[in-house]
């Protein structure tokens, strides 16, 4: 239990750095960049056909970049365009000309340091928006940490006024100490451990991050054994369980450190080009983004074949000669193309790697060692507006690592007039990130529960965290709930069609590049090595751009490659990182170790 003396004022600044990371669902990566200049005019059709296998974030991005460069593009998608990012309406809930109640995988989160996704959004027209779909992003003003048995904490989404110059580790640590002062919930000597480790990562060389931090778990790095509940709940768990459904004991410090670094620089205002730290869409994802995007691509000439999944890839003469596809009814067809972009999730790509493909590119064998975990959404449709916070909420201490957003306050228009039968006035969208810890209501893990038990248990855990906030949640307000249909119950138990890649220690070595050794096969997905190093919409978009760049080179195309961005590394710290690079090559520890 976190100490009730937890200081509200001092914790607010800490949350500006930490709260956003604790609320991240399937989506995070680099910072909003300046708008790109005019692109090269699209080339005339090259006659070179590209089959994009998958229509999620990675597939749509690849199709977008390729069609702009004169290729003939067909996207094959087994379920629905948008993948994990899409809206999933609750079927049968519409009445009197309204739309079905809008379900999402969870909530959509667009940190200020995303750069590739905003670049794509600006190129998708939307009525009345000068910057296209990008203008459908709105700022969340605050984060809330809901703490069971203690006052909840709400903080603004930025601590930019606290920014100080960051010329050396000592100055940087003093600045972060002010932001992470946690008023007694975390003993000073434990807070000092965390700050030292954080500054060590921020000032580490790329060589040390790849060679040392990649092979340490987050728990190991933060020396979590024997630490206080507050330390473990906030500093160890919040950045992992509620960030990417990962467990601190297995996730790579490199991955969490890169995300923590990005949030730090964004929140401190250290990067002028970065946008607001916490951004959401002003409507359900399909309305605000995916549908306009698909329409643009159709207008540009992209063909969509929905209901078809890649079953096998055939090789001839050292190249992919065709893809064999299957539909929902078991019907089959073959697809031939000059170029193939595999843009499906890792668990669907791996079965395509036949012995012939692995012989041509043995590096793909490592993908079998990559791990996935569950992060699944449930929506509660409520009779009254219920804005728990003006932004994301993290339920610290909840066994299932819950995060939520009250959507209607950010969505344009009248919710009840637009959706359902008019009785629902809000959508409380929740992500469940831990499916293997027993809950408080039934004493079962989420994987052991029925749909109804999941809905009741999730509500109970949120209510327990908000118990000190009278009137926040009332079960009588629930009109209906909608659990992600990717979950399926059968004789063998529960399965999940849409797991999330987790970067476990050492897993970077098993993640492939976008270019394969097969000259006409390219990879696009959040498992591909990217600068963001986390399974998010941003990394999927970045990987697709890398795949298109490699394809352009292979096709000897004169078209300009897609714009690529990198996470910010403060130039003020470059001298320290150079010193650390020399020390690492000499086998010496970091100066602060």
């Amino acid at each position: 239990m976190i100490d009730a003396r937890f200081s509200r004022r001092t914790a607010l600044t800490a949350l500006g750095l930490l709260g956003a990371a604790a609320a991240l669902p399937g989506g995070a990566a680099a910072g909003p960049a300046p708008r790109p200049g005019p692109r090269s005019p699209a080339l005339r059709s090259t006659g070179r056909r590209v089959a994009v296998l998958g229509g999620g974030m990675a597939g749509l991005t690849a199709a977008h970049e390729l069609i702009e460069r004169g290729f003939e593009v067909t996207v094959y998608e087994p379920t629905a365009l948008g993948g994990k990012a899409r809206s999933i309406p609750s079927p049968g809930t519409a009445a009197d000309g309204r739309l079905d109640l809008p379900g999402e995988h969870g909530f959509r989160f667009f940190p200020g340091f995303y750069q590739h996704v905003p670049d794509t959004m600006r190129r998708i027209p939307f009525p009345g928006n000068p910057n296209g779909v990008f203008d459908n992003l709105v700022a969340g003003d605050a984060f809330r940490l809901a703490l069971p048995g203690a006052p909840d904490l709400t903080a603004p989404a930025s601590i930019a006024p606290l920014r100080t110059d960051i010329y050396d580790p000592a100055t940087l640590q003093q600045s972060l100490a002010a932001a992470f002062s946690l008023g007694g919930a975390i003993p000073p000597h434990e807070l000092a451990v965390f700050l030292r480790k954080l500054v060590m990562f921020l000032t580490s060389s790329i060589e040390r991050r790849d060679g040392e931090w990649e092979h340490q778990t987050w728990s190991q790095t933060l020396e979590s054994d024997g630490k206080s509940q507050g330390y473990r709940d906030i500093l160890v768990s919040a950045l992992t369980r509620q960030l990417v459904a990962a467990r601190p004991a297995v996730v790579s410090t490199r991955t969490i450190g890169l995300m923590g670094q990005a949030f730090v620089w964004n929140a401190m205002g250290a990067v002028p080009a970065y946008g607001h730290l916490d951004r959401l869409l002003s409507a359900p994802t399909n309305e605000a983004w995916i549908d306009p995007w698909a329409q643009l691509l159709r207008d540009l000439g992209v063909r969509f074949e929905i209901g078809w999944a890649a079953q096998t890839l055939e090789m001839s003469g050292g190249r992919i000669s065709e893809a064999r596809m299957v539909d929902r009814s078991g019907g089959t067809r073959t697809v031939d193309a000059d170029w193939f972009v595999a843009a499906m999730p890792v668990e669907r790509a791996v079965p395509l790697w036949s012995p012939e493909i692995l012989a041509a590119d043995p590096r793909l064998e490592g993908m079998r060692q990559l791990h996935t975990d569950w992060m699944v959404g449930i929506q509660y449709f409520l009779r009254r507006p219920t804005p728990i916070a003006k932004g994301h909420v993290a339920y610290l201490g909840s066994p299932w690592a819950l995060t939520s957003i009250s959507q209607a306050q950010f969505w344009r228009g009248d919710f009840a007039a637009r959706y359902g039968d008019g009785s629902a006035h809000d959508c409380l969208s929740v992500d469940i990130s831990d499916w293997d810890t027993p809950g408080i209501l039934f004493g079962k893990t989420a994987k052991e529960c029925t749909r109804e038990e999941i809905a009741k248990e999730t509500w109970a855990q949120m209510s327990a965290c908000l118990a000190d906030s009278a009137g926040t949640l009332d079960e009588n307000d629930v009109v209906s709930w909608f659990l992600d249909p990717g979950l399926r119950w059968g004789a063998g138990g529960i399965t999940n069609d849409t797991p999330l890649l987790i970067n476990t220690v050492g897993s970077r070595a098993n993640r492939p590049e976008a270019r394969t050794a097969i000259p006409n096969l390219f990879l696009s997905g959040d498992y591909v090595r990217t600068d963001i190093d986390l399974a998010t919409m941003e990394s999927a978009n970045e990987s697709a751009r890398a795949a298109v760049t490699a394809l352009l080179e292979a096709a000897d195309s004169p078209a300009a490659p897609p714009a690529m961005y990198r996470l910010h590394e403060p130039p003020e710290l470059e001298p320290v990182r150079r010193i650390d690079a020399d020390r690492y090559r000499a086998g010496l520890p970091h100066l602060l170790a």
Side-chain angles (χ1 to χ4, degrees):
M1 189 71 65
I2 293 185
D3 194 323
R5 295 172 297 171
F6 198 112
S7 167
R8 179 180 300 271
R9 183 176 183 276
T10 55
L12 296 188
T13 54
L15 189 55
L17 296 181
L18 187 62
L24 185 67
R35 292 189 63 181
R39 297 180 179 272
S40 301
L43 304 175
R44 62 178 177 81
S45 175
T46 62
R48 294 181 177 178
R49 301 157 300 155
V50 183
V52 177
L53 308 179
M57 178 59 52
L60 292 178
T61 302
H64 194 163
E65 301 295 345
L66 286 164
I67 200 70
E68 284 189 341
R69 289 159 177 80
F71 286 80
E72 299 173 11
V73 183
T74 303
V75 176
Y76 299 87
E77 164 55 39
T79 306
L81 297 179
K84 295 185 183 76
R86 76 187 191 280
S87 301
I88 311 174
S90 180
T93 56
D96 302 324
R98 300 179 182 85
L99 300 172
D100 281 331
L101 289 168
E104 306 275 341
H105 171 69
F107 47 78
R108 299 293 163 259
F109 177 49
F110 300 80
F113 55 85
Y114 272 28
Q115 298 180 91
H116 298 93
V117 166
D119 173 70
T120 295
M121 287 179 145
R122 291 186 178 98
R123 292 149 53 197
I124 304 170
F126 193 91
N129 288 0
N131 298 298
V133 163
F134 177 80
D135 288 342
N136 289 337
L137 290 177
V138 295
D141 294 330
F143 308 108
R144 180 172 178 175
L145 287 179
L147 307 167
D152 294 347
L153 305 168
T154 300
S158 174
I159 59 167
L162 295 179
R163 184 195 173 191
T164 61
D165 291 326
I166 46 177
Y167 293 112
D168 59 75
T171 303
L172 179 61
Q173 186 159 335
Q174 291 172 6
S175 176
L176 293 175
F180 278 96
S181 296
L182 297 175
I186 300 176
H189 68 281
E190 292 185 357
L191 183 59
V193 172
F194 171 77
L195 292 173
R196 179 170 57 85
K197 296 289 187 175
L198 179 58
V199 173
M200 283 175 63
F201 188 91
L202 296 177
T203 57
S204 285
S205 61
I206 299 300
E207 293 88 345
R208 189 177 300 279
R209 292 177 186 178
D210 292 348
E212 182 176 325
W213 299 113
E214 168 67 12
H215 298 280
Q216 287 187 17
T217 69
W218 186 242
S219 288
Q220 289 171 333
T221 295
L222 294 192
E223 303 172 5
S224 63
D225 288 347
K227 294 294 194 298
S228 67
Q229 189 70 35
Y231 184 94
R232 287 183 282 115
D233 278 350
I234 297 176
L235 301 180
V236 179
S237 294
L239 285 174
T240 52
R241 292 172 71 223
Q242 282 149 315
L243 174 62
V244 288
R247 284 162 175 69
V250 299
V251 70
S252 161
T253 294
R254 181 185 187 276
T255 295
I256 301 303
L258 285 173
M259 284 297 90
Q261 170 179 282
F263 280 109
V264 164
W265 304 141
N266 196 177
M268 293 180 70
V271 188
Y274 280 4
H276 194 279
L277 181 62
D278 186 10
R279 298 177 299 189
L280 309 95
L281 289 167
S282 61
T285 306
N286 280 12
E287 296 179 37
W289 182 16
I290 303 300
D291 289 346
W293 195 5
Q295 187 57 56
L296 169 66
L297 297 184
R298 287 188 180 96
D299 292 344
L300 292 174
V302 173
R303 293 177 53 213
F304 292 107
E305 297 285 349
I306 307 299
W308 291 96
Q311 187 176 46
T312 62
L313 296 176
E314 302 297 325
M315 288 192 67
S316 177
R319 300 170 63 88
I320 302 298
S321 57
E322 64 183 23
R324 294 188 179 180
M325 316 295 290
V326 61
D327 66 12
R328 299 185 185 98
S329 64
T332 61
R333 62 185 287 193
T334 60
V335 170
D336 64 339
D338 299 293
W339 315 97
F340 292 84
V341 178
M344 68 280 289
V346 61
E347 70 276 4
R348 297 187 180 181
V350 167
L352 297 179
W353 307 151
S354 65
E356 292 79 13
I357 288 176
L358 292 176
D361 191 343
R363 295 172 300 174
L364 299 179
E365 180 70 41
M367 289 175 57
R368 300 185 189 278
Q369 306 303 315
L370 298 178
H371 296 273
T372 60
D373 208 333
W374 293 18
M375 191 176 195
V376 178
I378 183 172
Q379 287 77 51
Y380 297 91
F381 301 105
L382 307 176
R383 299 185 191 281
R384 62 184 176 91
T386 310
I388 300 173
K390 294 182 179 179
H392 290 95
V393 181
Y395 299 86
L396 294 188
S398 60
W400 289 1
L402 305 177
T403 49
S404 77
I405 189 75
S406 300
Q407 298 277 22
Q409 63 184 318
F410 298 103
W411 287 351
R412 57 177 176 264
D414 186 322
F415 187 94
R418 185 168 179 78
Y419 304 107
D421 61 6
S423 61
H425 287 75
D426 205 347
C427 172
L428 178 60
S429 187
V430 186
D431 263 345
I432 304 169
S433 298
D434 188 328
W435 286 75
D436 299 300
T437 299
I440 64 174
L441 191 60
F442 299 107
K444 296 194 286 188
T445 71
K447 290 178 180 176
E448 296 170 330
C449 289
T450 65
R451 292 180 184 274
E452 291 72 20
E453 288 173 338
I454 288 174
K456 292 177 180 179
E457 177 71 50
T458 302
W459 188 268
Q461 291 185 29
M462 289 191 296
S463 297
C465 289
L466 298 170
D468 59 320
S469 305
T472 300
L473 288 181
D474 184 345
E475 62 182 355
N476 294 316
D477 286 335
V478 179
V479 174
S480 62
W481 51 267
F482 179 55
L483 186 60
D484 191 316
L487 294 177
R488 303 179 188 275
W489 278 257
I494 183 174
T495 60
N496 179 9
D497 289 345
T498 56
L500 189 70
L501 176 73
I502 301 299
N503 292 349
T504 55
V505 288
S507 62
R508 188 169 183 269
N510 294 318
R511 295 172 61 194
E513 302 287 351
R515 183 196 302 270
T516 75
I518 300 170
N520 67 334
L521 175 64
F522 307 91
L523 306 181
S524 175
D526 56 22
Y527 62 89
V528 173
R529 287 193 190 185
T530 57
D531 189 50
I532 194 61
D533 195 45
L534 187 67
T536 59
M537 295 181 289
E538 177 75 358
S539 62
N541 189 301
E542 181 185 345
S543 72
R545 292 167 182 247
V548 170
T549 297
L551 192 155
L552 293 174
E553 293 174 358
D556 197 24
S557 170
M564 301 290 287
Y565 306 94
R566 296 188 64 83
L567 290 170
H568 178 67
E569 294 285 355
E572 298 94 332
L573 297 180
E574 179 57 27
V576 183
R577 289 196 297 268
R578 285 200 301 268
I579 292 173
D580 185 63
D582 292 339
R583 292 181 62 85
Y584 182 76
R585 286 191 289 267
L588 298 174
H590 191 281
L591 282 169
L592 297 179

